[in-house]
Amino acid sequence: MSSHNANAPYYFVPGPSQWPVLGGITLLLTMLGASAWVNGAAWGAYLNFAGILLTLVVLYKWFGDAIAESEGGKYSARIDTSFRWSMSWFIFSEVMFFGAFFGALFYARSITMPWLADLDHKVLWPDFAGQWGTVGPAGTVEAFKTMGPFPIPTINTALLLASGVTLTISHHALREGQRSKTAFWLFATVLLGAIFMGFQAYEYMHAYSELNLKLTSGIYGSTFFMLTGFHGFHVTMGAIMLSVVLYRVMKGHFTPEQHFAFEGAAWYWHFVDVVWLGLYVVVYWL
């Protein structure tokens, strides 16, 4: 929220906007392309990348409108409170989103696997041991190797934990009115996030080329790539948000007292950190 809100209305209600509809369309194109791509359609990759590019354009324009409203003095303390509640509920919805995937992993690993390997099923699958990382009892999945915690996942854990520290330092600097220090540590946070994504891309290439671990590698492959892939998507979105905040810091948009855009992005980034710690333990170690 901008500091220029002395003449802000009681509660600002923006006019009709095309960005939610356009954002929904571009996200739909992105997911359609991704679905076609993983199912072997050559055009899927092009549609996926086009959807991503268009989504970034929509976000750029949408963020620009919100920034113009903030800097135009239209956001009062009531809007700030509304933003805080909205961001809190959004993060709660993300908790439920990842909770569903963690629940699917728990069900497959701790309930379904022992059930398929019990005595009642030995007649159907006498050689099925029910150990996690399995190719399944029916023998329809190609052999693969599981992904361990070393070295890349552990490096990525250190990177995200470090990014949480640099972001906290940046926030304290902003509250103290030190804009240069705020920008430096915020840039460091974005850089650590970018390095994290680079390592994850390398990990995926390693999984496909050397471990034969793919999205089609049974329940292990599907849960591994769904959990780590969606987390990587959230890291990317968080880095975009922090990059926008960094630009605004450099433009002098925030004051030590009023900077919810920074705080909201920071909440999101810390949430991403916590989810990764759960992933690191449950997916890579257990």
Side-chain angles (χ1 to χ4, degrees), residues 193-212:
I195 296 173
F196 174 94
M197 290 307 301
F199 273 118
Q200 187 167 42
Y202 176 81
E203 179 187 57
Y204 277 12
M205 291 188 290
H206 168 69
Y208 265 73
S209 62
E210 299 180 32
L211 303 181
N212 199 37

Side-chain angles (χ1 to χ4, degrees), residues 157-179:
T157 302
L159 288 171
L160 276 190
L161 290 176
S163 72
V165 174
T166 58
L167 183 57
T168 300
I169 295 173
S170 179
H171 189 196
H172 281 285
L174 177 57
R175 295 177 65 178
E176 295 168 1
Q178 301 176 352
R179 190 170 70 179

Side-chain angles (χ1 to χ4, degrees), residues 115-130:
W115 176 64
L116 292 175
D118 65 16
L119 186 61
D120 292 338
H121 292 85
K122 286 298 182 183
V123 176
L124 294 175
W125 305 296
D127 298 325
F128 182 61

Side-chain angles (χ1 to χ4, degrees), residues 52-67:
I52 292 173
L53 179 62
L54 291 173
T55 300
L56 293 176
V57 172
V58 169
L59 289 177
Y60 175 81
K61 301 293 290 184
W62 199 349
F63 286 171
D65 285 352
I67 292 170

Side-chain angles (χ1 to χ4, degrees), residues 72-150:
K74 297 179 179 179
Y75 292 170
S76 65
R78 298 174 185 84
I79 296 295
D80 183 80
T81 300
S82 178
F83 282 158
R84 291 176 186 277
W85 274 107
S86 299
M87 194 65 185
S88 299
W89 282 113
F90 171 68
I91 292 177
F92 176 76
S93 74
E94 294 281 41
V95 171
M96 295 296 101
F97 176 85
F98 278 102
F101 286 113
F102 277 110
L105 176 61
F106 170 78
Y107 183 83
R109 183 170 185 168
S110 300
I111 297 177
T112 303
M113 296 297 296
W115 176 64
L116 292 175
D118 65 16
L119 186 61
D120 292 338
H121 292 85
K122 286 298 182 183
V123 176
L124 294 175
W125 305 296
D127 298 325
F128 182 61
Q131 296 177 347
W132 188 240
T134 178
V135 295
T140 58
V141 177
E142 296 180 1
F144 63 87
K145 295 181 181 179
T146 59
M147 184 71 70
F150 299 106

